[in-house]
Amino acid sequence: MTLFEKLEHNKTLKKINLANCYITNQCAIAIADSLRRNTSLRHCWLSNNFEIRDSGALALALALAKDGGDDVNNTLLAVHMMGTNVSEECQKRCTYLSNGRIIFQEKYT
């Protein structure tokens, strides 16, 4: 069973930190597919994975999309994606689609 399959069926894990793990764009797309069916995770860190590009970020955003129907994750509070290779235009689109749950920049108060 792969990490993605385990993530999909996980019922206990609340946080997963995959920052600095050399996650590729294709892996980000696979993670997005797994997150659609996961109901336990609250936070996912994908920061500093420079190979994640627009299509990977968009797949993640669609997995969290506010108007995505029944096949979306409604329990994940945040996907932290600072330090990825996602264009500014795509960052804005992903932030909108995910209702602010994909975070590309730290928010300082």
Side-chain angles (χ1 to χ4, degrees):
M1 188 176 276
T2 68
L3 168 68
F4 308 120
E5 292 168 326
K6 289 184 182 226
L7 185 59
E8 182 177 324
H9 299 290
N10 167 64
K11 302 291 183 221
T12 56
L13 191 65
K14 302 290 182 207
K15 300 176 184 179
I16 189 165
N17 189 344
L18 298 172
N20 301 301
C21 287
Y22 303 99
I23 301 293
T24 65
N25 202 50
Q26 284 303 110
C27 287
I29 292 168
I31 290 169
D33 190 48
S34 296
L35 290 178
R36 287 182 178 276
R37 290 175 281 288
N38 178 286
T39 58
S40 66
L41 277 181
R42 299 297 180 259
H43 293 273
C44 178
W45 282 268
L46 295 172
S47 300
N48 300 322
N49 286 295
F50 306 110
E51 293 299 317
I52 298 178
R53 302 185 189 292
D54 289 5
S55 59
L58 189 56
L60 289 158
L62 291 173
L64 306 176
K66 55 188 171 189
D67 298 323
D70 294 334
D71 191 21
V72 297
N73 183 308
N74 293 308
T75 57
L76 194 58
L77 300 175
V79 177
H80 305 271
M81 295 187 60
M82 292 71 68
T84 56
N85 201 4
V86 178
S87 70
E88 189 174 327
E89 181 180 324
C90 187
Q91 288 181 22
K92 290 176 185 176
R93 185 170 180 206
C94 290
T95 300
Y96 173 77
L97 287 170
S98 69
N99 201 27
R101 295 188 292 157
I102 292 186
I103 301 167
F104 291 98
Q105 297 178 351
E106 288 292 337
K107 297 174 184 171
Y108 299 101
T109 56

